[in-house]
Amino acid sequence: DGGITQSPKYLFRKEGQNVTLSCEQNLNHDAMYWYRQDPGQGLRLIYYSQIVNDFQKGDIAEGYSVSREKKESFPLTVTSAQKNPTAFYLCASSSPGTGKNTETQYFGPGTRLLVL
Amino acid sequence: AQSVTQLDSHVSVSEGTPVLLRCNYSSSYSPSLFWYVQHPNKGLQLLLKYTSAATLVKGINGFEAEFKKSETSFHLTKPSAHMSDAAEYFCVVRQSGTYKYIFGTGTRLKVLA
């Protein structure tokens, strides 16, 4: 089955610790995204990548880092600089289209990050 | 700049009655619009998308949405609510010429027995 996998489902972070969230897709999509979701709020874009070895900051990139060494993988690191990391993190992917062609984003099941 | 506004943060309906979730967008171009559903602690699932081929878009699970350019609206409807429809719903617009998507703040649908 094609899809997006995220691991782990739950992640605990200690103060001062960096943690990495995994995102893998086998949809052969070029673009991948990381969103943060807080209770009662919509999704906010952290980083996105249009192609391998390239990525752009989203609206709330501070305290996060990413890499895109392979088309199918887009890991997110939550660094110690992120002072309020408790949230639900969602990874998504999409394939490009032009003009009237619309792109559908497909989402993974999410990772809930909690601070100890 | 493009944006979406979901007019209701919470909607409650009785099982078997119609559902209406409202979404307004702002866009200088012909927009690409989507509705997603999210059940608790799950990822988002696509319900339907507007591709400019038809103004009335049919999606999964009996949902549909009508694109009204004159009203800049893309409201989501379902004739008869089911208990399993209880979830959060997001209206999304794709930012023209980019890979970015703009999300509404969500509408939480409650279905009463």
Side-chain angles (χ1 to χ4, degrees):
Chain A
D1 286 337
I4 301 175
T5 57
Q6 290 186 243
S7 62
K9 187 171 183 179
Y10 295 95
L11 185 58
F12 298 90
R13 192 190 94 164
K14 296 179 182 178
E15 192 171 340
Q17 184 183 38
N18 293 353
V19 292
T20 298
L21 286 62
S22 169
C23 177
E24 304 277 333
Q25 55 101 356
N26 61 4
L27 300 168
N28 200 34
H29 286 168
D30 289 313
M32 296 187 74
Y33 310 77
W34 274 106
Y35 293 94
R36 171 178 171 144
Q37 187 177 28
D38 294 283
Q41 298 189 30
L43 276 65
R44 292 185 290 169
L45 182 64
I46 305 172
Y47 270 98
Y48 67 104
S49 168
Q50 298 178 31
I51 57 172
V52 174
N53 293 322
D54 186 53
F55 47 83
Q56 288 80 41
K57 292 182 179 179
D59 301 317
I60 56 165
E62 186 174 351
Y64 301 96
S65 66
V66 294
S67 63
R68 186 86 187 276
E69 298 177 0
K70 298 186 297 181
K71 186 175 185 178
E72 58 270 22
S73 179
F74 191 41
L76 173 74
T77 296
V78 184
T79 74
S80 57
Q82 173 49 247
K83 298 307 179 186
N84 185 23
T86 298
F88 192 52
Y89 291 86
L90 288 160
C91 179
S93 71
S94 68
S95 60
T98 58
K100 294 294 184 181
N101 294 332
T102 58
E103 309 169 13
T104 300
Q105 278 193 319
Y106 295 89
F107 286 83
T111 292
R112 186 164 296 283
L113 177 60
L114 301 164
V115 177
L116 294 176
Chain B
Q2 290 166 299
S3 65
V4 287
T5 302
Q6 292 185 243
L7 298 162
D8 306 292
S9 59
H10 293 82
V11 170
S12 292
V13 300
S14 297
E15 190 175 21
T17 65
V19 176
L20 170 64
L21 305 182
R22 299 183 294 165
C23 174
N24 286 107
Y25 68 91
S26 69
S27 174
S28 302
Y29 307 93
S30 180
S32 300
L33 292 161
F34 308 81
W35 274 100
Y36 285 86
V37 61
Q38 184 182 33
H39 289 91
N41 295 310
K42 302 289 186 184
L44 277 67
Q45 180 185 17
L46 179 71
L47 282 176
L48 49 82
K49 63 180 180 181
Y50 170 67
T51 62
S52 75
T55 57
L56 184 62
V57 182
K58 293 189 183 297
I60 62 171
N61 301 336
F63 284 94
E64 61 182 37
E66 186 171 7
F67 174 73
K68 291 187 176 180
K69 188 174 181 179
S70 61
E71 299 177 9
T72 61
S73 70
F74 190 56
H75 300 337
L76 182 70
T77 60
K78 183 174 180 177
S80 176
H82 190 272
M83 296 298 288
S84 61
D85 294 327
E88 186 138 27
Y89 293 79
F90 292 96
C91 182
V92 182
V93 63
R94 178 176 163 243
Q95 192 167 337
S96 298
T98 76
Y99 282 83
K100 292 182 71 174
Y101 296 74
I102 312 299
F103 286 76
T105 52
T107 298
R108 186 166 297 278
L109 176 65
K110 187 174 183 180
V111 182
L112 306 172

